């Protein structure tokens, strides 16, 4: 905050100065700022409204606000009222704006300075257009550096009207002048989320879909619509708080770390995460949304007797962000509920088997709760041993209050912050145009579907939690929280990759049956929890249908033998079983296998697995092909096997292996460039320590990568000369398949083709470049290292 900005003379013009917003929030908030002595030395408020009155009457009305609150009229109240002046006028009359302009100039002349002008539209949205145009017609929107416009939500009724409003605003103002108010962003408890997340190292590294199962964001209110019937009936709960408050809360809890805590960086990160909001499709809206209306609502003045407006809703949001892919975010709000509760609940996943809790009735799950009401603060739910002779666990809660309840200020606190920030020109807590567009992109399809009455509008009794209980069926439909998903799988092939994939699943509470042609390998893994099986037939019999079977075998005829041979899986697999090929198979072979198995009613999924044995053990990159409905059915498997945000689905049989094939072709070219570069370094006139070269390349340089990191490790183990490494470089089918496929598509792949040719020629002509390639293959793939031929 720049203290000089607070000394800039400022005039706040409030359109709708005799309305509820002015009386209930703006004036009390301004008084608190005045009382705290943080307003500029030269500060004036001009009230603009059609009622005829002079300054004295206006001051008296302001004084009555504090008297109504049972506050005594004190000298500070009297001093406060003197900063107000009144301007009577009609919003559609240009002459009244010209008179206002004269008054503002007169005030500037009195101060001897050009003041900042803040125009606050405290009026219903239908008046925005006329007021904005008249402000511009009177040239009150200039100069842009010291003129600002404050607009309250709602920002349109849908995407179309929101864009129309934006077009008008951008015709008349610059973005830096526009302050769109969603007062929830100014709540202390929500601002504290940013500090909690980005100023502490406790959870941020685990703040992603690998460790978080789901998020709930809820705004439960005891109050009803009361005197807002006419307005509310045209809006409803989803538009009133879902499109703004709840989605802003979603942005704060899921946004990435900003580079700096300034307005540009923070707003950019909110924009980026909201742009990943996935609009729900028609069938998803029917499945993942719920709406209800409390009994007695239709009798409220201004409400249509046949109203279909929801006073409670629940919906599920998903983000396409790789960080949050697959994590359901449940949005819920309602009026006239039994409890007043406003909070965000983070449900953490179980990362290890909870064997010590199996005898407990309650399934333990850690939670982090950000509470706004009834208390403000952060709480943690965790499990500890219950004292006593018998081993038992009990749930405990650690609560960190934001502040003591008796120190919590009145409800105008948010408006204090927003007015203060507008005065100093800080847009951090104000909504951008990009945010609004993204929010409507999610909300519009739901409203459109509801208007077709395809989702029944339920009724509930006031002062109950009936809609909360009735809508819980949605939780059981969520993909990540589906309690019926069976974590049971069979693995065929327990080599370096298969073994490590199986161990990773065992850690994630999967029941894993394993078969390998070498029985000793299977036997050894039984000590790690694997259920060893010693024939393909027994493997299938052990697992009840529908089964998931993962093949981790070398590409080629062996796979066809295991699937379609006389003693192959085809003899025992049943309709509805799912067979996954996680090896490096040629994509055209995968297409053939898909079709043959489809005829038998067996589903086939092709998965390219990258990351080597280490990735298989601690989180791989998965490229998945096949049918989308089958992928979605077993998606928790891929989530458990992959590194954070490390899996993607590609529609069509063979697509996963095709993407992996191209990945390996690219890998050939990258490795060749690294090997050639380090060969030049090796033969340079300088005495270079190649390990140190690799180390510096891998810290912030453009070519920083896992490949450079693996080379650094190899150089550390074997030395710069790589004496124990062969210059003969093995090559698998994927590089050759990539070149072949490119030729079929009439696409030139000079780099990949020459990298492949180098490996072929290395069989007769081993070189130092070949040593580097072999060292890299050994590091990331665990391939056998052979000594150079004599």
């Amino acid at each position: 905050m720049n203290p000089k900005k607070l000394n800039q003379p400022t005039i706040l013009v409030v359109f709708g100065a005799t309305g509820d917003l002015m009386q209930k929030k703006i004036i009390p908030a301004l008084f608190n700022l005045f009382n705290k002595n943080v307003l500029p030395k030269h500060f004036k408020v001009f009230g603009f409204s059609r009622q005829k009155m002079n300054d004295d009457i206006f001051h008296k009305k302001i004084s009555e606000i504090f008297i109504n609150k049972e506050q005594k009229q004190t000298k500070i109240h009297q001093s406060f009222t003197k900063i107000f002046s009144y301007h009577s006028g009609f919003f559609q009359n240009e002459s009244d704006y010209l008179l206002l302009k004269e008054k503002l100039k007169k005030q500037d002349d009195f101060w001897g300075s050009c003041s900042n002008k803040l125009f606050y539209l405290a009026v219903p949205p239908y008046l925005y257009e006329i007021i904005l145009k008249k402000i511009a017609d009177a040239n009150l929107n200039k100069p842009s550096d010291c003129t600002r416009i404050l607009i309250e939500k709602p920002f349109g009724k849908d995407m179309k009207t929101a864009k129309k409003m934006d077009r008008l605003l951008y015709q008349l103002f610059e973005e830096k002048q526009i302050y769109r108010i969603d007062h929830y962003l100014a709540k202390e408890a929500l601002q504290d989320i940013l500090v909690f997340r980005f100023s502490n190292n406790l959870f941020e590294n685990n703040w992603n879909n690998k460790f978080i199962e789901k998020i709930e964001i809820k705004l439960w209110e005891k109050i009803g619509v009361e005197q807002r019937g006419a307005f509310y009936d045209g809006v409803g709960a989803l538009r009133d708080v879902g499109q703004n408050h709840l989605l802003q809360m979603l942005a704060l809890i899921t946004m990435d770390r900003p580079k700096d805590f300034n307005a540009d960086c923070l707003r950019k990160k909110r924009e980026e995460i909201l742009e990943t909001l996935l609009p729900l499709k028609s069938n998803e809206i029917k499945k993942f949304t719920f709406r209800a209306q409390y009994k007695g609502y239709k009798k409220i003045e201004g409400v249509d007797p046949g109203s279909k407006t929801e006073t409670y809703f629940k919906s599920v949001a998903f983000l396409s962000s790789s960080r949050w892919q697959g994590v359901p975010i449940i949005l819920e709000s309602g009026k006239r509920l039994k409890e007043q509760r406003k909070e965000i609940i983070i449900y953490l996943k179980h990362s290890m088997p909870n064997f010590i809790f199996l005898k407990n009735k309650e399934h333990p799950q850690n939670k982090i709760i950000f509470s706004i009401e009834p208390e403000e603060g952060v709480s943690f739910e965790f499990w500890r041993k219950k004292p006593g002779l018998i081993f038992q666990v009990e749930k405990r809660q650690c609560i960190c209050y934001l502040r003591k309840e008796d120190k919590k200020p009145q409800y105008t606190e948010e408006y204090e912050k927003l007015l203060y920030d507008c005065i100093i020109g800080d847009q951090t807590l104000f909504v951008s145009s990009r945010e609004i567009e993204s929010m409507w992109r999610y909300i519009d399809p739901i409203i459109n579907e509801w208007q077709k009455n395809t989702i029944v509008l339920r009724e509930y009794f006031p002062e109950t939690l009936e809609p909360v209980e009735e809508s819980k069926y949605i939780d059981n439909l969520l993909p990540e929280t589906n309690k019926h998903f069976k974590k049971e799988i069979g693995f065929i092939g327990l080599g370096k990759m298969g073994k490590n994939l199986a161990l990773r699943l065992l850690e994630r509470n999967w029941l894993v049956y394993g078969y390998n042609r070498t029985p000793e390998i299977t036997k050894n893994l039984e000590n790690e929890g694997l259920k060893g099986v010693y024939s393909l037939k027994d493997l299938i019999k052990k697992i009840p249908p529908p089964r998931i079977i993962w093949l981790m075998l070398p590409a080629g005829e062996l796979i066809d033998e295991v699937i379609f041979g006389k003693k192959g899986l085809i003899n025992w697999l049943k309709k509805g079983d799912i067979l996954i090929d996680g090896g490096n198979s040629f994509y055209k072979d995968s297409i053939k296998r898909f079709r043959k198995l489809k005829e038998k009613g067996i589903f086939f999924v092709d998965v390219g697995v990258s990351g080597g044995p280490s990735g298989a053990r601690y989180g791989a990159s998965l490229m998945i092909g096949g049918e989308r409905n089958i992928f979605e059915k077993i998606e928790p498997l891929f989530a458990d096997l992959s590194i954070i945000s490390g899996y993607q689905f590609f529609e069509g049989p063979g697509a996963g292996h095709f993407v992996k094939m191209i990945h390996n072709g690219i890998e050939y070219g990258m490795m060749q460039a690294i090997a050639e570069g380090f060969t030049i370094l090796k033969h340079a006139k300088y005495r270079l320590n190649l390990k140190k070269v690799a180390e510096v390349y891998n810290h912030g340089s453009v070519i920083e990568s896992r490949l450079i990191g693996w080379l650094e490790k190899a150089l550390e183990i074997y030395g710069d000369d790589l004496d124990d490494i062969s210059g003969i470089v093995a090559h698998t089918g994927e590089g050759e398949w990539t070149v072949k496929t490119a030729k079929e598509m009439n696409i030139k792949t000079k780099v990949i083709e020459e990298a492949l040719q180098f490996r072929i020629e290395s069989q007769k002509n081993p070189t130092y470049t070949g040593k580097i390639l072999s060292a890299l293959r050994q590091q990331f793939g665990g391939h056998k290292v052979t000594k150079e031929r004599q």
Side-chain angles (χ1 to χ4, degrees), residues 125 128 151-157 165 181 231 235 239-240 243-244 440:
Y128 287 177
I151 301 177
E152 287 274 352
K153 76 164 189 75
F155 310 113
K157 287 192 68 175
M165 174 59 66
I181 296 173
F231 165 77
V235 177
R239 284 190 181 108
D240 189 40
Q243 184 272 335
N244 35 73
W440 279 122

Side-chain angles (χ1 to χ4, degrees), residues 19 64 79 104 110 123 131 142 226 254 259 282 287-288 337 359 383 481 514 528 532 536 583 640 786:
E64 288 173 353
S79 299
L104 299 180
F110 177 75
V123 296
I131 294 174
K142 299 176 182 177
E226 279 85 34
T254 58
K259 290 182 179 179
S282 177
K287 186 176 176 182
F288 292 134
L337 296 177
K359 294 181 180 179
W383 296 79
T481 57
E528 304 288 344
L536 294 178
D640 280 346
T786 58

Side-chain angles (χ1 to χ4, degrees), residues 340-568:
Q340 183 90 354
R341 184 184 298 180
K342 301 179 181 181
E343 61 190 8
I344 302 172
I345 307 175
I346 311 294
Y347 291 82
L348 302 182
K349 286 182 176 180
H350 299 300
S351 59
M352 297 290 285
N354 291 285
F355 59 89
I356 63 171
F357 302 113
L358 294 180
K359 294 181 180 179
N360 289 303
K361 294 180 180 179
E362 186 174 1
H363 187 60
Q365 188 165 27
N366 300 128
K367 299 176 190 175
I368 303 172
I369 303 170
F370 296 88
S371 179
I372 304 170
E373 288 185 29
E375 298 90 14
E376 293 176 300
V378 183
S379 63
F380 309 87
E381 286 189 7
F382 55 97
W383 296 79
R384 299 190 66 182
K385 181 185 178 298
K386 187 175 182 179
L389 297 175
I390 301 174
F391 189 86
Q392 292 179 308
V393 296
E394 62 180 356
K395 184 164 65 177
R396 299 282 185 90
Q397 190 175 49
C398 175
I399 304 176
C400 304
Y401 292 110
L402 182 61
R403 54 190 165 189
K404 292 182 178 179
E405 185 67 24
D406 59 352
K407 290 187 177 180
K408 184 177 178 180
Q410 59 177 314
Y411 63 89
T412 55
E413 177 186 44
E414 298 90 338
Y415 280 84
E416 288 181 48
K417 175 63 175 169
L418 293 170
L419 286 167
Y420 178 82
D421 282 357
C422 187
I423 290 168
I424 66 173
D426 185 348
Q427 287 183 304
T428 301
L429 302 180
F430 295 85
V431 185
S432 72
S433 175
R434 282 176 60 190
E435 291 175 87
I436 293 168
E437 186 171 332
S438 296
M439 293 188 287
W440 279 122
R441 193 179 297 114
Y442 170 77
I443 295 294
D444 271 1
I446 300 175
I447 291 173
N448 292 339
E449 192 66 39
W450 285 0
Q451 287 175 344
K452 298 175 187 176
N453 290 322
T454 54
I455 287 81
V456 176
L457 179 69
R458 317 293 178 93
E459 275 195 321
Y460 63 97
F461 283 100
E463 285 74 57
T464 70
L465 292 180
E466 284 182 1
V468 175
E469 293 299 323
E470 195 173 351
S471 64
K472 281 185 177 179
Y473 71 88
I474 290 176
D475 295 29
N476 295 323
L477 299 174
L478 300 176
E480 285 297 308
T481 57
N482 192 335
K483 307 302 181 185
H484 303 295
F485 184 79
K486 183 177 64 173
K487 285 194 169 188
E488 195 169 358
I489 192 170
F491 257 84
I492 299 173
L494 299 172
K496 289 174 292 188
M497 294 293 289
K499 167 189 171 182
N500 285 341
L501 290 171
L503 289 174
R504 183 169 175 84
L505 289 180
L506 286 168
E507 281 186 352
R508 280 151 180 76
N509 217 19
W510 281 73
L511 181 59
V512 182
Y513 295 90
Y515 166 80
N516 198 75
R517 286 184 298 175
T518 306
E520 290 78 9
I521 293 176
T522 307
K523 192 70 177 176
N524 290 337
L525 283 175
E526 288 181 5
N527 297 326
E528 304 288 344
L530 182 89
K531 301 292 184 183
V533 183
Y534 296 91
S535 74
L536 294 178
K537 182 178 180 180
D538 285 347
L539 177 72
I540 302 304
K541 284 187 173 181
K542 288 279 187 183
I543 306 173
R547 307 170 181 87
I548 304 173
I549 305 296
W550 186 294
L551 301 178
M552 208 65 195
L553 302 170
E557 295 179 359
L558 177 60
I559 295 180
D560 284 326
E561 181 186 336
V562 169
I563 300 175
F564 303 110
K566 289 183 179 181
K567 296 182 179 180

